Amino acid sequence: KAGVTQTPRYLIKTRGQQVTLSCSPISGHRSVSWYQQTPGQGLQFLFEYFSETQRNKGNFPGRFSGRQFSNSRSEMNVSTLELGDSALYLCASSVARAGANVLTFGAGSRLTVL
Amino acid sequence: SQQGEEDPQALSIQEGENATMNCSYKTSINNLQWYRQNSGRGLVHLILIRSNEREKHSGRLRVTLDTSKKSSSLLITASRAADTASYFCATDDSSYKLIFGSGTRLLVRP
């Protein structure tokens, strides 16, 4: 079965612009989580969506937002980009089984902000 | 915020040797998981150990969990060059929010 698909894989933006990243989860997975990975901060949790509702949120400013659609596909948006937003953005899906929430990750979207 | 701290940050061993990496965490957990990441790609789930388990095996992987010390270790036996990757522990407190550690970069020299 198809894995988690993230698009685009690479993108370059300039400061002040906004960006939208997309994630298609594995069929049947209703939970989608987003992470930001940078060399300095490691893997930081952004948010988690389940059945179109944001169920968990990390400690990121309001410029970072997301949503989930009825088919479980998810998007995240970063507005007013800053240089520090350059990172690998990883999406992961799961069946959200209580007590055993195992994530399947996509290959990531690498964002460079100039 | 990161829940886990991993030790060592980097590890270089010869093929055939065993690799041990450790993870410490701060709060109560429901389970702890280990993931692997190859050079900036997505992470791949390796193994999950529940809070009421002390040891678990999967192929060449052995994971231990000590909830009293809030620590876990991952042992890779008879390492191969293909094991070269970064390894992360992740804690699950049943909130469906996995928090990852800082990772250990493993280099297995042929």
Side-chain angles (χ1 to χ4, degrees):
Chain A
K1 71 185 173 182
V4 178
T5 304
Q6 290 189 245
T7 56
R9 290 292 317 283
Y10 302 91
L11 65 166
I12 300 173
K13 294 285 187 178
T14 56
R15 278 180 299 174
Q17 287 187 311
Q18 74 165 16
V19 66
T20 299
L21 308 178
S22 179
C23 173
S24 293
I26 288 175
S27 178
H29 285 195
R30 296 170 63 190
S31 171
V32 174
S33 300
W34 288 90
Y35 290 84
Q36 180 197 65
Q37 185 176 30
T38 60
Q41 296 297 315
L43 272 157
Q44 300 286 323
F45 175 79
L46 280 157
F47 24 66
E48 184 250 352
Y49 287 87
F50 181 82
S51 292
E52 303 178 65
T53 300
Q54 186 181 85
R55 192 163 56 175
N56 288 289
K57 189 177 189 304
N59 297 323
F60 278 81
R63 300 185 298 107
F64 292 80
S65 63
R67 59 178 175 169
Q68 186 180 35
F69 302 94
S70 59
N71 62 357
S72 293
R73 190 177 70 84
S74 178
E75 289 181 347
M76 67 162 283
N77 184 276
V78 187
S79 61
T80 319
L81 284 166
E82 301 177 358
L83 295 178
D85 297 333
S86 293
L88 180 66
Y89 289 88
L90 292 164
C91 163
S93 72
S94 75
V95 295
R97 183 176 304 130
N101 189 34
V102 173
L103 302 184
T104 302
F105 280 82
S109 292
R110 184 166 295 281
L111 170 66
T112 301
V113 182
L114 302 175
Chain B
S1 61
Q2 288 177 307
Q3 157 83 300
E5 292 299 323
E6 292 176 67
D7 164 54
Q9 289 188 338
L11 180 60
S12 179
I13 59 174
Q14 204 72 34
E15 206 166 24
E17 294 180 336
N18 294 342
T20 300
M21 47 205 90
N22 305 294
C23 166
S24 60
Y25 57 92
K26 299 171 187 173
T27 61
S28 297
I29 61 171
N30 184 278
N31 67 69
L32 186 143
Q33 303 175 35
W34 286 89
Y35 287 78
R36 162 194 168 129
Q37 183 180 38
N38 285 85
S39 49
R41 305 271 301 177
L43 283 74
V44 175
H45 178 259
L46 295 174
I47 195 167
L48 177 153
I49 185 166
R50 298 181 191 277
S51 59
N52 60 355
E53 296 176 311
R54 291 296 166 258
E55 187 170 313
K56 200 161 183 180
H57 297 254
S58 176
R60 293 184 296 113
L61 305 180
R62 172 179 168 255
V63 169
T64 62
L65 179 64
D66 187 334
T67 53
S68 66
K69 295 182 180 177
K70 291 187 168 55
S71 68
S72 174
S73 68
L74 171 67
L75 168 68
I76 304 174
T77 60
S79 63
R80 306 165 181 168
D83 294 329
T84 294
S86 292
Y87 293 82
F88 296 87
C89 66
T91 52
D92 181 357
D93 62 0
S94 294
S95 66
Y96 302 104
K97 180 176 74 176
L98 256 63
I99 301 300
F100 285 82
S102 49
T104 293
R105 293 190 314 278
L106 173 65
L107 171 64
V108 181
R109 305 187 305 274

